[in-house]
mmCIF file of all heavy atoms in Angstrom:
data_model
loop_
_atom_site.group_PDB
_atom_site.id
_atom_site.type_symbol
_atom_site.label_atom_id
_atom_site.label_comp_id
_atom_site.label_asym_id
_atom_site.label_seq_id
_atom_site.Cartn_x
_atom_site.Cartn_y
_atom_site.Cartn_z
ATOM 1 N N ARG U 22 33.767 -33.839 117.447
ATOM 2 C CA ARG U 22 32.337 -34.107 117.496
ATOM 3 C C ARG U 22 31.660 -33.563 116.236
ATOM 4 O O ARG U 22 30.780 -34.162 115.654
ATOM 5 C CB ARG U 22 31.808 -33.458 118.771
ATOM 6 C CG ARG U 22 30.361 -33.408 118.966
ATOM 7 C CD ARG U 22 29.678 -34.509 119.678
ATOM 8 N NE ARG U 22 30.264 -35.411 120.588
ATOM 9 C CZ ARG U 22 29.715 -35.661 121.771
ATOM 10 N NH1 ARG U 22 28.712 -34.964 122.183
ATOM 11 N NH2 ARG U 22 30.203 -36.610 122.515
ATOM 12 N N LEU U 23 32.117 -32.376 115.804
ATOM 13 C CA LEU U 23 31.498 -31.730 114.640
ATOM 14 C C LEU U 23 31.977 -32.331 113.329
ATOM 15 O O LEU U 23 31.253 -32.390 112.353
ATOM 16 C CB LEU U 23 31.799 -30.221 114.651
ATOM 17 C CG LEU U 23 31.152 -29.451 115.798
ATOM 18 C CD1 LEU U 23 31.673 -28.018 115.824
ATOM 19 C CD2 LEU U 23 29.634 -29.445 115.640
ATOM 20 N N VAL U 24 33.236 -32.768 113.256
ATOM 21 C CA VAL U 24 33.821 -33.305 112.010
ATOM 22 C C VAL U 24 34.291 -34.730 112.282
ATOM 23 O O VAL U 24 35.431 -34.934 112.664
ATOM 24 C CB VAL U 24 35.012 -32.432 111.530
ATOM 25 C CG1 VAL U 24 35.506 -32.915 110.183
ATOM 26 C CG2 VAL U 24 34.616 -30.967 111.482
ATOM 27 N N PRO U 25 33.398 -35.712 112.120
ATOM 28 C CA PRO U 25 33.842 -37.079 112.396
ATOM 29 C C PRO U 25 34.928 -37.507 111.406
ATOM 30 O O PRO U 25 34.914 -37.077 110.250
ATOM 31 C CB PRO U 25 32.567 -37.913 112.210
ATOM 32 C CG PRO U 25 31.486 -36.974 111.832
ATOM 33 C CD PRO U 25 32.058 -35.617 111.580
ATOM 34 N N SER U 26 35.834 -38.315 111.861
ATOM 35 C CA SER U 26 36.923 -38.734 110.959
ATOM 36 C C SER U 26 36.364 -39.635 109.858
ATOM 37 O O SER U 26 35.400 -40.381 110.053
ATOM 38 C CB SER U 26 38.001 -39.457 111.747
ATOM 39 O OG SER U 26 37.437 -40.581 112.350
ATOM 40 N N LEU U 27 36.912 -39.554 108.658
ATOM 41 C CA LEU U 27 36.476 -40.371 107.530
ATOM 42 C C LEU U 27 36.907 -41.816 107.745
ATOM 43 O O LEU U 27 37.966 -42.057 108.324
ATOM 44 C CB LEU U 27 37.110 -39.848 106.240
ATOM 45 C CG LEU U 27 36.656 -38.461 105.811
ATOM 46 C CD1 LEU U 27 37.554 -37.952 104.704
ATOM 47 C CD2 LEU U 27 35.208 -38.482 105.350
ATOM 48 N N PRO U 28 36.085 -42.774 107.290
ATOM 49 C CA PRO U 28 36.548 -44.161 107.396
ATOM 50 C C PRO U 28 37.789 -44.351 106.523
ATOM 51 O O PRO U 28 37.875 -43.779 105.434
ATOM 52 C CB PRO U 28 35.354 -44.971 106.868
ATOM 53 C CG PRO U 28 34.547 -44.009 106.063
ATOM 54 C CD PRO U 28 34.802 -42.633 106.604
ATOM 55 N N SER U 29 38.718 -45.106 106.990
ATOM 56 C CA SER U 29 39.947 -45.292 106.198
ATOM 57 C C SER U 29 39.618 -46.167 104.986
ATOM 58 O O SER U 29 38.865 -47.133 105.084
ATOM 59 C CB SER U 29 41.025 -45.940 107.044
ATOM 60 O OG SER U 29 40.566 -47.182 107.485
ATOM 61 N N THR U 30 40.141 -45.808 103.804
ATOM 62 C CA THR U 30 39.877 -46.593 102.593
ATOM 63 C C THR U 30 40.884 -47.728 102.508
ATOM 64 O O THR U 30 42.062 -47.544 102.824
ATOM 65 C CB THR U 30 40.020 -45.710 101.336
ATOM 66 O OG1 THR U 30 41.139 -44.853 101.528
ATOM 67 C CG2 THR U 30 38.785 -44.884 101.087
ATOM 68 N N PRO U 31 40.413 -48.926 102.073
ATOM 69 C CA PRO U 31 41.372 -50.028 101.975
ATOM 70 C C PRO U 31 42.432 -49.716 100.930
ATOM 71 O O PRO U 31 42.136 -49.141 99.880
ATOM 72 C CB PRO U 31 40.497 -51.219 101.558
ATOM 73 C CG PRO U 31 39.234 -50.639 101.039
ATOM 74 C CD PRO U 31 39.067 -49.287 101.647
ATOM 75 N N SER U 32 43.659 -50.065 101.185
ATOM 76 C CA SER U 32 44.732 -49.732 100.250
ATOM 77 C C SER U 32 44.729 -50.665 99.045
ATOM 78 O O SER U 32 45.196 -50.319 97.969
ATOM 79 C CB SER U 32 46.085 -49.790 100.954
ATOM 80 O OG SER U 32 46.217 -51.056 101.540
ATOM 81 N N VAL U 33 44.166 -51.885 99.186
ATOM 82 C CA VAL U 33 44.113 -52.830 98.067
ATOM 83 C C VAL U 33 42.644 -53.089 97.743
ATOM 84 O O VAL U 33 41.877 -53.488 98.607
ATOM 85 C CB VAL U 33 44.815 -54.159 98.426
ATOM 86 C CG1 VAL U 33 44.708 -55.138 97.275
ATOM 87 C CG2 VAL U 33 46.258 -53.894 98.785
ATOM 88 N N LEU U 34 42.245 -52.827 96.471
ATOM 89 C CA LEU U 34 40.858 -53.060 96.094
ATOM 90 C C LEU U 34 40.651 -54.551 95.888
ATOM 91 O O LEU U 34 41.510 -55.228 95.333
ATOM 92 C CB LEU U 34 40.538 -52.323 94.790
ATOM 93 C CG LEU U 34 40.468 -50.804 94.892
ATOM 94 C CD1 LEU U 34 40.311 -50.210 93.510
ATOM 95 C CD2 LEU U 34 39.333 -50.367 95.783
ATOM 96 N N PRO U 35 39.506 -55.085 96.316
ATOM 97 C CA PRO U 35 39.256 -56.504 96.075
ATOM 98 C C PRO U 35 39.128 -56.741 94.572
ATOM 99 O O PRO U 35 38.546 -55.934 93.861
ATOM 100 C CB PRO U 35 37.924 -56.762 96.798
ATOM 101 C CG PRO U 35 37.283 -55.429 96.922
ATOM 102 C CD PRO U 35 38.380 -54.411 96.963
ATOM 103 N N ASN U 36 39.698 -57.799 94.055
ATOM 104 C CA ASN U 36 39.599 -58.036 92.618
ATOM 105 C C ASN U 36 38.631 -59.177 92.308
ATOM 106 O O ASN U 36 38.515 -59.613 91.179
ATOM 107 C CB ASN U 36 40.972 -58.301 92.006
ATOM 108 C CG ASN U 36 41.619 -59.531 92.584
ATOM 109 O OD1 ASN U 36 40.991 -60.232 93.384
ATOM 110 N ND2 ASN U 36 42.849 -59.805 92.203
ATOM 111 N N LYS U 37 37.943 -59.647 93.300
ATOM 112 C CA LYS U 37 36.955 -60.686 93.057
ATOM 113 C C LYS U 37 35.566 -60.122 93.277
ATOM 114 O O LYS U 37 35.380 -59.215 94.061
ATOM 115 C CB LYS U 37 37.187 -61.864 93.999
ATOM 116 C CG LYS U 37 38.332 -62.749 93.562
ATOM 117 C CD LYS U 37 38.165 -64.141 94.128
ATOM 118 C CE LYS U 37 37.959 -64.092 95.613
ATOM 119 N NZ LYS U 37 38.635 -65.108 96.366
ATOM 120 N N TYR U 38 34.604 -60.691 92.576
ATOM 121 C CA TYR U 38 33.229 -60.242 92.755
ATOM 122 C C TYR U 38 32.775 -60.571 94.169
ATOM 123 O O TYR U 38 32.774 -61.720 94.575
ATOM 124 C CB TYR U 38 32.324 -60.933 91.732
ATOM 125 C CG TYR U 38 30.885 -60.554 91.903
ATOM 126 C CD1 TYR U 38 30.403 -59.392 91.317
ATOM 127 C CD2 TYR U 38 30.031 -61.310 92.665
ATOM 128 C CE1 TYR U 38 29.084 -59.026 91.486
ATOM 129 C CE2 TYR U 38 28.713 -60.938 92.839
ATOM 130 C CZ TYR U 38 28.249 -59.800 92.240
ATOM 131 O OH TYR U 38 26.953 -59.430 92.414
ATOM 132 N N ASP U 39 32.419 -59.563 94.906
ATOM 133 C CA ASP U 39 31.877 -59.754 96.247
ATOM 134 C C ASP U 39 30.938 -58.594 96.496
ATOM 135 O O ASP U 39 31.351 -57.488 96.796
ATOM 136 C CB ASP U 39 33.009 -59.781 97.280
ATOM 137 C CG ASP U 39 32.440 -59.926 98.694
ATOM 138 O OD1 ASP U 39 31.200 -59.987 98.833
ATOM 139 O OD2 ASP U 39 33.235 -59.986 99.643
ATOM 140 N N GLU U 40 29.645 -58.843 96.319
ATOM 141 C CA GLU U 40 28.713 -57.722 96.372
ATOM 142 C C GLU U 40 28.576 -57.161 97.788
ATOM 143 O O GLU U 40 27.938 -56.145 97.983
ATOM 144 C CB GLU U 40 27.352 -58.114 95.792
ATOM 145 C CG GLU U 40 26.759 -59.340 96.409
ATOM 146 C CD GLU U 40 25.672 -59.978 95.543
ATOM 147 O OE1 GLU U 40 25.440 -59.526 94.405
ATOM 148 O OE2 GLU U 40 25.084 -60.939 96.015
ATOM 149 N N ASN U 41 29.182 -57.823 98.783
ATOM 150 C CA ASN U 41 29.148 -57.261 100.135
ATOM 151 C C ASN U 41 30.189 -56.168 100.302
ATOM 152 O O ASN U 41 30.164 -55.440 101.288
ATOM 153 C CB ASN U 41 29.407 -58.363 101.167
ATOM 154 C CG ASN U 41 28.330 -59.421 101.077
ATOM 155 O OD1 ASN U 41 27.152 -59.089 100.974
ATOM 156 N ND2 ASN U 41 28.723 -60.682 101.085
ATOM 157 N N VAL U 42 31.116 -56.092 99.359
ATOM 158 C CA VAL U 42 32.147 -55.061 99.429
ATOM 159 C C VAL U 42 31.733 -53.947 98.477
ATOM 160 O O VAL U 42 31.475 -54.202 97.307
ATOM 161 C CB VAL U 42 33.522 -55.635 99.025
ATOM 162 C CG1 VAL U 42 34.586 -54.561 99.078
ATOM 163 C CG2 VAL U 42 33.875 -56.796 99.929
ATOM 164 N N TYR U 43 31.645 -52.731 98.962
ATOM 165 C CA TYR U 43 31.040 -51.675 98.161
ATOM 166 C C TYR U 43 31.846 -51.355 96.907
ATOM 167 O O TYR U 43 31.316 -50.882 95.936
ATOM 168 C CB TYR U 43 30.839 -50.405 99.005
ATOM 169 C CG TYR U 43 32.065 -49.573 99.198
ATOM 170 C CD1 TYR U 43 32.303 -48.475 98.377
ATOM 171 C CD2 TYR U 43 32.998 -49.884 100.187
ATOM 172 C CE1 TYR U 43 33.433 -47.724 98.536
ATOM 173 C CE2 TYR U 43 34.123 -49.136 100.345
ATOM 174 C CZ TYR U 43 34.345 -48.042 99.523
ATOM 175 O OH TYR U 43 35.470 -47.303 99.663
ATOM 176 N N ASN U 44 33.128 -51.602 96.918
ATOM 177 C CA ASN U 44 33.959 -51.225 95.769
ATOM 178 C C ASN U 44 34.509 -52.437 95.029
ATOM 179 O O ASN U 44 35.608 -52.409 94.517
ATOM 180 C CB ASN U 44 35.096 -50.302 96.206
ATOM 181 C CG ASN U 44 35.936 -50.938 97.291
ATOM 182 O OD1 ASN U 44 35.600 -52.018 97.765
ATOM 183 N ND2 ASN U 44 37.009 -50.296 97.674
ATOM 184 N N TRP U 45 33.691 -53.512 94.926
ATOM 185 C CA TRP U 45 34.158 -54.695 94.189
ATOM 186 C C TRP U 45 34.369 -54.359 92.717
ATOM 187 O O TRP U 45 33.703 -53.488 92.173
ATOM 188 C CB TRP U 45 33.152 -55.844 94.308
ATOM 189 C CG TRP U 45 31.860 -55.584 93.608
ATOM 190 C CD1 TRP U 45 30.767 -54.964 94.115
ATOM 191 C CD2 TRP U 45 31.545 -55.893 92.253
ATOM 192 N NE1 TRP U 45 29.782 -54.871 93.168
ATOM 193 C CE2 TRP U 45 30.225 -55.424 92.017
ATOM 194 C CE3 TRP U 45 32.237 -56.523 91.212
ATOM 195 C CZ2 TRP U 45 29.597 -55.565 90.789
ATOM 196 C CZ3 TRP U 45 31.605 -56.655 89.994
ATOM 197 C CH2 TRP U 45 30.301 -56.176 89.794
ATOM 198 N N MET U 46 35.281 -55.057 92.097
ATOM 199 C CA MET U 46 35.509 -54.902 90.651
ATOM 200 C C MET U 46 35.270 -56.247 89.991
ATOM 201 O O MET U 46 35.610 -57.283 90.558
ATOM 202 C CB MET U 46 36.952 -54.472 90.390
ATOM 203 C CG MET U 46 37.238 -53.059 90.837
ATOM 204 S SD MET U 46 38.759 -52.457 90.103
ATOM 205 C CE MET U 46 39.946 -53.570 90.793
ATOM 206 N N PRO U 47 34.680 -56.254 88.747
ATOM 207 C CA PRO U 47 34.527 -57.537 88.060
ATOM 208 C C PRO U 47 35.895 -58.144 87.754
ATOM 209 O O PRO U 47 36.881 -57.421 87.604
ATOM 210 C CB PRO U 47 33.775 -57.175 86.779
ATOM 211 C CG PRO U 47 33.906 -55.711 86.622
ATOM 212 C CD PRO U 47 34.196 -55.120 87.968
ATOM 213 N N ALA U 48 35.932 -59.460 87.657
ATOM 214 C CA ALA U 48 37.203 -60.150 87.444
ATOM 215 C C ALA U 48 37.829 -59.777 86.111
ATOM 216 O O ALA U 48 39.039 -59.755 85.961
ATOM 217 C CB ALA U 48 36.990 -61.656 87.530
ATOM 218 N N ARG U 49 36.990 -59.482 85.104
ATOM 219 C CA ARG U 49 37.541 -59.067 83.813
ATOM 220 C C ARG U 49 36.520 -58.178 83.115
ATOM 221 O O ARG U 49 35.349 -58.140 83.492
ATOM 222 C CB ARG U 49 37.894 -60.273 82.940
ATOM 223 C CG ARG U 49 36.685 -61.101 82.527
ATOM 224 C CD ARG U 49 37.119 -62.347 81.780
ATOM 225 N NE ARG U 49 35.956 -63.052 81.252
ATOM 226 C CZ ARG U 49 35.422 -62.820 80.073
ATOM 227 N NH1 ARG U 49 35.942 -61.905 79.280
ATOM 228 N NH2 ARG U 49 34.373 -63.480 79.672
ATOM 229 N N HIS U 50 36.997 -57.496 82.091
ATOM 230 C CA HIS U 50 36.127 -56.611 81.323
ATOM 231 C C HIS U 50 35.113 -57.443 80.558
ATOM 232 O O HIS U 50 35.459 -58.497 80.041
ATOM 233 C CB HIS U 50 37.001 -55.815 80.341
ATOM 234 C CG HIS U 50 36.322 -54.605 79.807
ATOM 235 N ND1 HIS U 50 35.443 -54.650 78.771
ATOM 236 C CD2 HIS U 50 36.387 -53.312 80.188
ATOM 237 C CE1 HIS U 50 34.990 -53.432 78.529
ATOM 238 N NE2 HIS U 50 35.548 -52.602 79.377
ATOM 239 N N PRO U 51 33.837 -57.012 80.472
ATOM 240 C CA PRO U 51 32.881 -57.796 79.687
ATOM 241 C C PRO U 51 33.249 -57.824 78.203
ATOM 242 O O PRO U 51 33.947 -56.933 77.714
ATOM 243 C CB PRO U 51 31.551 -57.076 79.901
ATOM 244 C CG PRO U 51 31.846 -55.799 80.552
ATOM 245 C CD PRO U 51 33.239 -55.825 81.083
ATOM 246 N N ASP U 52 32.759 -58.850 77.498
ATOM 247 C CA ASP U 52 33.048 -58.960 76.066
ATOM 248 C C ASP U 52 32.472 -57.766 75.324
ATOM 249 O O ASP U 52 31.424 -57.248 75.677
ATOM 250 C CB ASP U 52 32.431 -60.241 75.502
ATOM 251 C CG ASP U 52 33.119 -61.465 76.068
ATOM 252 O OD1 ASP U 52 34.306 -61.344 76.431
ATOM 253 O OD2 ASP U 52 32.476 -62.518 76.155
ATOM 254 N N VAL U 53 33.155 -57.349 74.279
ATOM 255 C CA VAL U 53 32.745 -56.180 73.513
ATOM 256 C C VAL U 53 32.606 -56.581 72.049
ATOM 257 O O VAL U 53 33.422 -57.325 71.526
ATOM 258 C CB VAL U 53 33.805 -55.054 73.644
ATOM 259 C CG1 VAL U 53 33.501 -53.931 72.683
ATOM 260 C CG2 VAL U 53 33.856 -54.541 75.065
ATOM 261 N N LEU U 54 31.518 -56.135 71.412
ATOM 262 C CA LEU U 54 31.316 -56.392 69.992
ATOM 263 C C LEU U 54 31.705 -55.140 69.214
ATOM 264 O O LEU U 54 31.282 -54.053 69.569
ATOM 265 C CB LEU U 54 29.846 -56.684 69.722
ATOM 266 C CG LEU U 54 29.350 -58.096 69.964
ATOM 267 C CD1 LEU U 54 27.853 -58.125 69.787
ATOM 268 C CD2 LEU U 54 30.009 -59.059 69.007
ATOM 269 N N CYS U 55 32.471 -55.306 68.155
ATOM 270 C CA CYS U 55 32.823 -54.163 67.318
ATOM 271 C C CYS U 55 31.916 -54.161 66.096
ATOM 272 O O CYS U 55 31.686 -55.205 65.494
ATOM 273 C CB CYS U 55 34.273 -54.258 66.869
ATOM 274 S SG CYS U 55 35.410 -54.174 68.230
ATOM 275 N N HIS U 56 31.419 -52.986 65.745
ATOM 276 C CA HIS U 56 30.604 -52.856 64.537
ATOM 277 C C HIS U 56 31.542 -52.902 63.344
ATOM 278 O O HIS U 56 32.492 -52.133 63.270
ATOM 279 C CB HIS U 56 29.857 -51.519 64.587
ATOM 280 C CG HIS U 56 28.767 -51.420 63.580
ATOM 281 N ND1 HIS U 56 29.000 -51.064 62.275
ATOM 282 C CD2 HIS U 56 27.437 -51.634 63.684
ATOM 283 C CE1 HIS U 56 27.840 -51.060 61.628
ATOM 284 N NE2 HIS U 56 26.880 -51.399 62.460
ATOM 285 N N LYS U 57 31.329 -53.821 62.410
ATOM 286 C CA LYS U 57 32.231 -53.938 61.268
ATOM 287 C C LYS U 57 31.487 -54.508 60.061
ATOM 288 O O LYS U 57 30.320 -54.895 60.176
ATOM 289 C CB LYS U 57 33.433 -54.823 61.623
ATOM 290 C CG LYS U 57 33.050 -56.223 62.085
ATOM 291 C CD LYS U 57 34.257 -57.121 62.183
ATOM 292 C CE LYS U 57 34.341 -58.022 60.965
ATOM 293 N NZ LYS U 57 35.414 -59.019 61.018
ATOM 294 N N SER U 58 32.172 -54.542 58.929
ATOM 295 C CA SER U 58 31.590 -55.125 57.723
ATOM 296 C C SER U 58 32.014 -56.587 57.603
ATOM 297 O O SER U 58 33.172 -56.919 57.824
ATOM 298 C CB SER U 58 32.080 -54.363 56.480
ATOM 299 O OG SER U 58 31.590 -53.046 56.527
#
Side-chain angles (χ1 to χ4, degrees):
R22 171 91 23 131
L23 293 172
V24 186
S26 60
L27 294 168
S29 60
T30 40
S32 55
V33 178
L34 289 173
N36 62 5
K37 282 204 307 220
Y38 178 84
D39 178 359
E40 53 199 5
N41 299 316
V42 179
Y43 79 97
N44 56 355
W45 68 272
M46 290 196 297
R49 65 185 187 89
H50 198 278
D52 293 333
V53 171
L54 277 174
C55 296
H56 194 277
K57 58 170 259 185
S58 295

